[in-house]
Each structure stands twice: as structure tokens, then as C-alpha cells.
Amino acid sequence: MLGYIYAILFYAATAILVIGLASKIWIYARTPAPLKIPTTPAPKTRSGVVLRMFREVVFFESLYKSNKWIWLFGWMFHMGMWLVLIRHLRYFTQPVWGWVELAQPFGIYAAFAMLIGLGGLWARRVLVERIKYITNPSDHLMLALLMGIVLSGMMMRFVTRTDIVSVKVYMLGLMRFDVGYMPADPVLMLHLFLVATLMIVFPVSKLLHAPGVFFSPSRNQVDNPREKRHIAPWAAKLES
């Protein structure tokens, strides 16, 4: 019975995440940029824009220039998260890919980087007055949700020792729409519930900055206003 409850929860959460994220990306892609507004100094070629976006996504270049402490905590959290996500791919692949196996020892301790990063980002919303002023209750709830996911995951690794073999069999079964046995482990149940909750709220949360950065005109535009006239699609239709 427990396996079916969580199967329904994850199928619903996955559908909400995929549909909600796709609809948001569709809106971002169709939103016109009527002005040429790249943040200078900006690249003057498309390849330069690609390189700039790479530095922004991987190294958080603009945040580094803005505030070194926030950059440190933010970068620790995001890079740790990617390693943890890569490590979790072993629960959804059989056989496990070679590069996923190589990431296993790094993914274990990347959770500590996530924890420290989240702690720093949360502290800034409480201790920095100008950030505290613009912080909403939803910001604290989102940080609490992420912190709960990290802590419950670490508990399964370092405290309670969940039966990960059964968890993998259950997850592989869900991918084939074959609901099997799920261990009745309270920490596992909490961890999966929090993950499903994050999947549900993601399309309507501030976490949408993840795909949104690729559609930011201040980052993805070429700085060539003199060489080429910039016309928004809707303006071009009016002119024609």
C-alpha cells in the first residue's frame, strides 16, 4: 500500500514539474525583448555570448563580481547539488554508468557543501538588513524545504542506513510503471515526500531562475546595437 501511495505522489509530482516547467519556458521564450540591453562589458559575437553564459551558469560570474560571500555560499550549494544529483542517478540506471560510479565518493560529501551553502544563504536572509527587508515567508519555507531534503538524505547515509537496494528496485519499477515494494523507513518516507513537494512547487517558485537565466536579455544578447538594428518579433510584424 505504501508503495502505491508514493507512486501516485511521484507520478503526479513529475507531471506537474514537467508540464509546469515546459509552460514557463514557453512563456520565457515567447516574451519579447524590445530593447538591446546586454549588461556591459558584453560580448559582440554569438560565440562570445555562449562563453559568457557558460561562465555565468558554471562559475556565477556576475554574482562573484557583486558579492564574494554570497557567491561562495551559492556556488557551494549549487555545485554540491549537482554532484548529489549525479550520484542519485545510480537509483535510476541499471547497469550504473561509469561516470556515475566515479562520482559516488564525491557525491556523498557534496551533501556537506550543500548544507553549508544553504546555511549561509539562509543566514543572509536573517542577518543582512537589506536582504531581510525583501525576504518573504515563502523564501524561508523554500530554504527550509531544501534543508529538510539535505538533512534527511544525510541521515539515511550516516545515521539510519536505509536499504538502498530495495529503494533502487522500487525506483526502477516506477520508471517501468511497475509499482513494487517500498521500505517503510520513516526517514526515507520523509525524504521522498520532501523531494516530491519540491517537484510540485518548483514551477511556481523563485527556483525558476535556473532556466530563466538562459532567457535573460541582459545576458543572452550580443552587444551590437550599432552594427545591427534590434527589432522585437511583434514590432517586426507591425512594420511589415
Side-chain angles (χ1 to χ4, degrees), residues 27-29 31-43 46 49 52-53 211-224 230 232:
I27 293 173
Y28 292 160
T31 300
L35 301 175
K36 178 72 73 169
I37 54 172
T39 301
T40 57
R46 180 55 59 183
V49 170
R52 182 188 201 181
M53 292 300 300
V213 66
F214 295 99
F215 299 94
S216 172
S218 62
R219 293 286 179 270
N220 64 15
Q221 288 186 344
V222 179
D223 188 15
N224 59 352
H230 176 75

Side-chain angles (χ1 to χ4, degrees), residues 30-157:
R30 290 180 58 85
T31 300
L35 301 175
K36 178 72 73 169
I37 54 172
T39 301
T40 57
K44 297 182 178 180
T45 62
R46 180 55 59 183
S47 59
V49 170
V50 172
L51 180 59
R52 182 188 201 181
M53 292 300 300
F54 174 81
R55 295 197 307 267
E56 188 68 31
V57 172
V58 177
F59 300 110
F60 297 7
E61 182 181 43
S62 61
L63 182 58
Y64 178 81
K65 294 177 180 178
S66 173
N67 189 299
K68 300 296 189 293
W69 282 107
I70 296 178
W71 171 84
L72 176 62
F73 290 122
W75 195 82
M76 286 179 63
F77 166 70
H78 286 86
M79 295 304 108
M81 178 189 67
W82 280 114
L83 281 172
V84 169
L85 290 175
I86 290 172
R87 181 175 182 270
H88 278 61
L89 287 176
R90 66 176 178 159
Y91 298 110
F92 304 94
T93 55
Q94 185 60 36
V96 179
W97 301 325
W99 58 276
V100 175
E101 290 183 350
L102 290 175
Q104 295 304 304
F106 302 101
I108 292 174
Y109 296 102
F112 290 98
M114 289 183 65
L115 190 63
I116 295 171
L118 276 173
L121 293 175
W122 205 345
R124 118 185 196 275
R125 291 203 171 269
V126 178
L127 302 177
V128 180
E129 195 62 33
R130 64 186 181 86
I131 302 297
K132 181 180 178 181
Y133 180 76
I134 61 173
T135 297
N136 296 319
S138 61
D139 297 318
H140 291 293
L141 289 174
M142 189 58 60
L143 287 165
L145 176 59
L146 292 169
M147 190 73 78
I149 292 174
V150 175
L151 289 174
S152 58
M154 293 176 69
M155 284 186 63
M156 288 190 292
R157 179 63 179 84

